[in-house]
Amino acid sequence: DEASAEAAVRAVQAAYRVMLDGEYAEAEMRFRRIIDENPKDHEALAGLAVCTAEDGGRFLTAEKLAQQSVRLAPKSAAGYIALGYIHLRGSRLEEGYRYLMKAKHLAPRDPRLSAGFALYDRERPPVIADLSRLHPVNRALGGIRTGLRSPAQRAMGLACLAVSVYMASTLSG
């Protein structure tokens, strides 16, 4: 039975590799086969949820699949990553970000998180709305904003900004 469990893990990993290569239809078929064999495979359900959202834009169905993954394994990051990705693809940025942060809390080194955060960074509005996202000021401020994800990092960033503004005002005045 251990050999079949190991084969199932390899099948899920292979399906994720196909999905990450952008072959959503093929990955969806693979995830469905895995789920047919084991309907409680939360990793496969999470992968199927992402494929469903990505390949057909069926966000409601995808969200239900991801929620089922979370119900089966609430301590696993897989379902939360899928929920985050689905919400981001559906333009619900704050909800998507919250799910990604929940996943990051559960599995900080999960490589799927980087794809989710990259999507979040691409989808959210620029720091200065009146400038193009590609404007050098927005790119610089966006990089700083990306680096300040935790409350402690934000507090340190604000303190540095306050000191910079104070120094600039004393030097110019």
Side-chain angles (χ1 to χ4, degrees):
D1 196 32
E2 188 175 313
S4 64
E6 191 173 312
V9 167
R10 281 195 310 272
V12 169
Q13 290 171 341
Y16 269 104
R17 277 193 298 277
V18 169
M19 182 181 75
L20 292 173
D21 286 340
E23 309 266 342
Y24 297 104
E26 172 65 24
E28 184 174 342
M29 285 187 339
R30 289 178 182 224
F31 284 126
R32 285 190 188 282
R33 269 188 252 134
I34 295 165
I35 293 166
D36 286 344
E37 291 178 23
N38 180 6
K40 294 187 177 187
D41 189 321
H42 70 280
E43 290 279 350
L45 280 166
L48 179 60
V50 171
C51 289
T52 302
E54 192 63 49
D55 195 37
R58 301 178 313 242
F59 296 113
L60 187 58
T61 302
E63 186 175 5
K64 288 179 183 177
L65 289 166
Q67 287 171 343
Q68 185 178 353
S69 174
V70 168
R71 278 193 301 277
L72 288 171
K75 301 286 186 196
S76 169
Y80 295 107
I81 292 170
L83 280 167
Y85 188 85
I86 292 160
H87 281 87
L88 292 173
R89 293 291 291 143
S91 299
R92 297 189 325 230
L93 301 182
E94 291 309 310
E95 291 173 67
Y97 182 76
R98 277 195 299 275
Y99 281 120
L100 289 176
M101 290 306 292
K102 171 76 173 175
K104 186 176 181 179
H105 174 74
L106 293 170
R109 294 186 190 347
D110 193 310
R112 296 172 290 189
L113 284 170
S114 60
F117 283 122
L119 177 61
Y120 175 73
D121 288 337
R122 278 192 313 271
E123 295 293 323
R124 69 181 173 176
V127 178
I128 300 175
D130 291 340
L131 296 176
S132 160
R133 177 183 303 280
L134 299 177
H135 190 281
V137 172
N138 265 336
R139 291 179 69 156
L141 292 174
I144 293 168
R145 177 172 70 180
T146 298
L148 303 177
R149 291 204 194 280
S150 76
Q153 289 170 327
R154 280 193 295 277
M156 180 61 80
L158 287 173
C160 288
L161 180 62
V163 167
S164 299
V165 169
Y166 174 75
M167 299 274 297
S169 68
T170 58
L171 292 174
S172 65

